[in-house]
Amino acid sequence: MPLLIFGHRGAAGEAPENTLAGFEYAYDKAGVRCFELDVHLTKDGQLAVIHDPLLDRTTDGKGLVGHHTLAELKRFNAGVLFFGEFPDAKIPTLHEVLDEFADKIGFFQIEIKTDTEVVLDRVADLVLQAINTYKIREKTVVTSFDPYAITRIRLTDPTQHCGLIAMEYTEKDLLKAVELGCYNTCIRITTANGKELTAKARSYGLQTTGWLGNSAEDVDTLLSWGVDSITTNYPSTVRTYVQQTLGLEII
């Protein structure tokens, strides 16, 4: 099977992360055909595509995403990290992203961010509704650091592929992924025994994603582990390296 290269939040190192402008850049200029993105619940019950619980790092807004309505979030500039290069970058909804890319993208990883169980119940329902509406079930893995989010998804729809993420992956995390019935597990490149854990994951029948593969050296490391997919902030250079230097087939 070809190696999957996921544009992390679109192409987070090259364009405003988790924005339509960033996803358009990733697709049109970086050649990305697999997207990783994050969702948070807004004050008025919408799914905003943004990584941090706070607005402060990636926008000119302040405070918690969940304390703002979607209309309020739309007023903020989400391209501040790129110093005016993307002046129209805004926080999109999951539906807005899927309206544009559901039929174009080969695979999605939709990450549910950690939150209270009440919020996660609502987020899980909305994510599954979006997946069903856009008919992307077969090409979507719902991921999370939060085991409750995965449990909630699988209780509602046991057929939906899910993936567990951990900052410093251990065998305990691997066993938790198996217990949760995950399809995928996401192992960080800083993991000391990543190769051994990747092999164990595959022995359990789990697909493995290595993150983040931001350089040729990173890619070499993750490929030496035997991962099935790589998530990167710099898909332009990583895709070129994997295809032209390594000669590998990718999606």
Side-chain angles (χ1 to χ4, degrees):
M1 180 177 176
L3 178 71
L4 274 59
I5 303 291
F6 282 90
H8 189 230
R9 310 175 201 167
E14 303 178 45
E17 63 181 62
N18 281 329
T19 66
L20 285 178
F23 291 123
E24 288 164 1
Y25 171 95
Y27 187 87
D28 294 331
K29 296 186 178 180
V32 172
R33 295 298 180 265
C34 301
F35 281 168
E36 187 273 349
L37 56 87
D38 312 274
V39 292
H40 280 281
L41 192 68
T42 69
K43 184 178 179 179
D44 53 344
Q46 306 293 312
L47 284 185
V49 178
I50 184 171
H51 177 270
D52 298 3
L54 290 169
L55 294 161
D56 305 48
R57 180 179 66 87
T58 58
T59 82
D60 58 0
K62 301 291 182 184
L64 290 165
V65 174
H67 287 180
H68 293 77
T69 66
L70 179 62
E72 291 168 343
L73 293 174
K74 288 291 188 182
R75 297 174 190 153
F76 301 129
N77 176 4
V80 295
L81 295 179
F82 288 83
F83 307 104
E85 188 179 352
F86 297 87
D88 298 324
K90 301 294 182 184
I91 299 170
T93 65
L94 180 58
H95 282 274
E96 288 172 331
V97 175
L98 294 179
D99 276 343
E100 180 66 27
F101 293 103
D103 294 332
K104 296 178 181 178
I105 290 299
F107 292 93
F108 290 94
Q109 287 187 358
I110 300 175
E111 182 182 339
I112 297 177
K113 308 305 292 184
T114 295
D115 212 312
T116 66
E117 291 187 1
V118 172
V119 170
L120 291 176
D121 285 343
R122 182 58 179 153
V123 171
D125 287 342
L126 290 172
V127 167
L128 286 172
Q129 287 173 21
I131 288 171
N132 290 331
T133 296
Y134 290 93
K135 298 179 173 58
I136 57 170
R137 175 189 305 277
E138 299 304 317
K139 58 181 184 179
T140 299
V141 177
V142 180
T143 66
S144 187
F145 285 87
D146 195 321
Y148 181 84
I150 293 174
T151 298
R152 183 61 172 73
I153 288 285
R154 290 189 51 75
L155 280 173
T156 304
D157 185 352
T159 69
Q160 178 58 55
H161 288 161
C162 292
L164 182 66
I165 319 170
M167 289 299 292
E168 300 300 333
Y169 213 87
T170 66
E171 188 164 0
K172 181 180 179 181
D173 297 307
L174 175 57
L175 294 176
K176 173 58 73 172
V178 174
E179 177 189 331
L180 292 169
C182 286
Y183 167 86
N184 170 275
T185 189
C186 304
I187 304 178
R188 197 181 183 195
I189 193 168
T190 54
T191 303
N193 57 336
K195 186 171 185 176
E196 291 78 9
L197 286 172
T198 299
K200 285 187 177 181
R202 298 190 75 164
S203 75
Y204 284 116
L206 292 168
Q207 295 286 307
T208 55
T209 298
W211 65 283
L212 288 161
N214 284 339
S215 66
E217 182 181 7
D218 293 342
V219 169
D220 289 343
T221 296
L222 294 172
L223 289 177
S224 76
W225 293 0
V227 298
D228 301 290
S229 58
I230 292 174
T231 306
T232 179
N233 287 333
Y234 299 94
S236 294
T237 54
V238 165
R239 291 183 75 258
T240 298
Y241 176 70
V242 172
Q243 283 184 302
Q244 297 184 11
T245 303
L246 300 182
L248 298 179
E249 183 182 357
I250 69 171
I251 296 177

